[in-house]
Amino acid sequence: MKVFLQPALNDGNLDGNQVNSQRQLAISVSAIADGAGLGRNVPLNLCLILDHSGSMSGRPLETVKQAANRIVERLNPGDRLSVVVFDHRAKVLVPNQTVEDPEKIKAQINRLKADGGTAIDEGLRLGIEELAKGKKETISQAFLLTDGENEHGDNNRCLKFAQLAASYNLTLNSLGFGDNWNQDILEKIADEGGGSLSHIQQPDDAEAKFSQLFTRIQTVGLTNAYLLFSLAPRVRLAELKPIAQVAPDTIELPVQEEPDGRFSVRLGDLMKDAERVVLANFYIGQLAEGKQPIAELQVRYDDPSLNQTKLLSELILVEATVQKSYQSVADAEVQQHILALAKYRQTQLAETKLQQGDRAGAATMLQTAAKTALQMGDQNAATVLQTSATRLQAGEELSEAERKKTRIVSKTILQDS
């Protein structure tokens, strides 16, 4: 496998008379075959971290067990699996192992009963320990599922474990079951752990959501990817939230400085059939006429199929054309990415205002987000966002389910596919 890296400016021309110009750079990154074919040849190392607290009793836990069993059936020879379960404590139900007896594993899952409270951080701790045992020459992922608050645990500890997982090249995906889980913490776990957030609104949705996630991780080709970039003289990053991922999920990405002076952002896994798109916001000072360099891009990554780490892609130069008689050359695709990020941030602002008790302010921001979604042609998100705005304008409260759906449609498309 090798890296596909494609940059595009929202406007590739610059006005030579302007002292300062703002530009957005969309960077598409994915794994592509280099003659070895597209089939998955790297074993999966999967850990299911499942909540079996008392609130999961009955249909919820039964559907989760069914969904977990379907995943066991889809694993290939050589794939590894571990299962960690938690209530107000956590235990290893299935230690990390190659899947040689699926029926035995399914029998262990089927014996699971609902009881006790919820300690997400302890489940995460054990899950990371089990994943780490099988991480060599595999693609390591966890599915963390819970239906409640971390009442017997510490949310800050959860985030530290998510950061630890990322440093070990382990990816964490979180699934919120029902309507009473803490969206802030599950979203942060997924963002810090390089994975995605899913919402299982009804018990019968469990199998489909697990299947969506599993299909997605089967396409991972390269891991532990970092986007590296250096900026030309007179080019600087925007000061506030300069870089975000906008596909397949929207995530604010922290920027780090490398020892060689370049900037870097962690992308995590690179998929073979879905590009990660990163949007960088920066300012360019006045430059001389003609083609001018703006930035240099490169990706550092691991290839588990070769058991090689810290490989480097080719260097890609980003240039802009400085014109005395400026004519804009807007890129419609980059504009879509800009709108996707705006929709996400507008919805985040709405949620903040809602938490502060400012329903009118929240309604205004949601209405703005709905208009942004319409500009993108995202009719589904526009409908959800406008419905929530209208309810707030009418003086009604949003249910937990409505608030969660409102936030999720602004973040990812995976949930409603």
Side-chain angles (χ1 to χ4, degrees):
M1 303 299 296
K2 63 180 181 179
V3 171
F4 169 81
L5 179 61
Q6 180 68 54
L9 287 163
N10 64 318
D11 181 350
N13 289 344
L14 293 171
D15 187 344
N17 303 306
Q18 286 277 3
V19 175
N20 240 337
S21 302
Q22 183 180 18
R23 288 293 182 270
Q24 283 80 35
L25 176 67
I27 306 151
S28 300
V29 189
S30 61
I32 57 172
D34 54 357
L38 289 171
R40 177 168 65 90
N41 53 13
V42 181
L44 278 179
N45 174 35
L46 178 65
C47 182
L48 304 179
I49 308 171
L50 306 177
D51 182 345
H52 71 117
S53 58
S55 56
M56 289 289 292
S57 180
R59 186 76 181 143
L61 185 58
E62 291 308 308
T63 57
V64 167
K65 290 193 289 188
Q66 289 169 17
N69 285 335
R70 297 295 85 77
I71 295 297
V72 174
E73 291 168 359
R74 290 180 66 180
L75 291 168
N76 290 331
D79 286 342
R80 304 187 70 87
L81 178 72
S82 51
V83 181
V84 167
V85 296
F86 65 93
D87 45 26
H88 52 278
R89 297 178 299 271
K91 67 177 182 180
V92 178
L93 186 70
V94 178
N96 190 292
Q97 60 189 265
T98 54
V99 180
E100 294 173 358
D101 190 347
E103 293 306 315
K104 182 180 177 181
I105 293 172
K106 286 161 64 177
Q108 289 172 284
I109 292 170
N110 287 335
R111 284 196 290 268
L112 203 55
K113 305 291 184 188
D115 192 27
T118 308
I120 299 170
D121 49 353
E122 276 302 293
L124 264 180
R125 180 181 67 81
L126 285 183
I128 290 168
E129 286 179 6
E130 289 304 307
L131 263 189
K133 294 173 184 176
K135 70 188 285 280
K136 187 178 180 183
E137 296 180 45
T138 63
I139 291 165
S140 299
Q141 299 257 344
F143 291 3
L144 166 69
L145 178 140
T146 184
D147 75 335
E149 295 275 355
N150 193 23
E151 58 190 359
H152 290 276
D154 181 336
N155 286 340
N156 287 328
R157 197 164 173 245
C158 286
L159 297 184
K160 287 178 182 175
F161 284 139
Q163 291 162 356
L164 180 67
S167 73
Y168 285 169
N169 196 17
L170 312 173
T171 299
L172 303 180
N173 303 280
S174 53
L175 300 101
F177 194 103
D179 297 326
N180 298 316
W181 47 280
N182 185 324
Q183 180 149 0
D184 288 329
I185 192 63
L186 285 198
E187 184 169 336
K188 286 175 183 174
I189 288 170
D191 288 355
E192 293 284 355
S196 64
L197 169 68
S198 300
H199 181 197
I200 301 172
Q201 193 166 355
Q202 302 294 333
D204 289 344
D205 297 337
E207 193 171 322
K209 294 297 182 183
F210 268 60
S211 178
Q212 280 180 327
L213 263 183
F214 187 77
T215 298
R216 184 161 160 177
I217 68 173
Q218 282 184 306
T219 70
V220 171
L222 301 170
T223 64
N224 202 32
Y226 284 78
L227 175 65
L228 309 173
F229 59 99
S230 54
L231 300 177
R234 306 184 67 78
V235 181
R236 63 179 174 85
L237 285 174
E239 291 178 9
L240 186 64
K241 296 181 179 178
I243 298 186
Q245 178 180 291
V246 291
D249 310 299
T250 306
I251 304 169
E252 303 286 1
L253 295 176
V255 182
Q256 307 165 40
E257 191 162 352
E258 294 282 304
D260 63 5
R262 290 192 287 181
F263 297 107
S264 71
V265 290
R266 187 175 190 275
L267 303 178
D269 299 326
L270 297 182
M271 292 165 281
K272 289 176 275 191
D273 65 351
E275 294 174 352
R276 286 196 181 276
V277 181
V278 172
L279 194 64
N281 183 19
F282 51 85
Y283 291 89
I284 305 169
Q286 199 165 14
L287 299 173
E289 277 186 72
K291 273 203 180 300
Q292 296 290 350
I294 301 301
E296 271 192 339
L297 307 174
Q298 194 171 35
V299 174
R300 184 176 67 231
Y301 62 96
D302 297 347
D303 188 336
S305 68
L306 302 175
N307 194 26
Q308 293 182 341
T309 62
K310 297 185 178 178
L311 300 171
L312 290 170
S313 71
E314 291 181 31
L315 271 172
I316 301 290
L317 178 65
V318 180
E319 294 180 309
T321 302
V322 183
Q323 299 176 322
K324 192 169 184 180
S325 301
Y326 166 69
Q327 289 184 315
S328 173
V329 285
D331 187 305
E333 192 171 344
V334 179
Q335 186 59 30
Q336 286 291 98
H337 298 316
I338 293 169
L339 290 172
L341 182 56
K343 178 186 67 169
Y344 172 74
R345 288 177 173 169
Q346 289 155 357
T347 308
Q348 293 290 97
L349 277 173
E351 177 62 21
T352 300
K353 288 183 181 295
L354 213 50
Q355 290 173 359
Q356 294 168 345
D358 181 5
R359 283 195 298 190
T364 300
M365 289 311 305
L366 287 176
Q367 202 159 33
T368 302
K371 290 176 183 174
T372 304
L374 275 179
Q375 277 184 273
M376 296 172 62
D378 188 352
Q379 185 64 53
N380 178 43
T383 300
V384 171
L385 294 164
Q386 184 57 56
T387 300
S388 294
T390 301
R391 285 180 64 91
L392 290 174
Q393 287 166 337
E396 299 175 26
E397 295 281 352
L398 295 183
S399 69
E400 281 299 317
E402 288 167 331
R403 285 175 73 163
K404 286 176 168 59
K405 190 169 187 180
T406 297
R407 288 175 64 177
I408 283 177
V409 296
S410 77
K411 183 177 178 68
T412 179
I413 297 170
L414 174 67
Q415 314 307 321
D416 297 283
S417 61

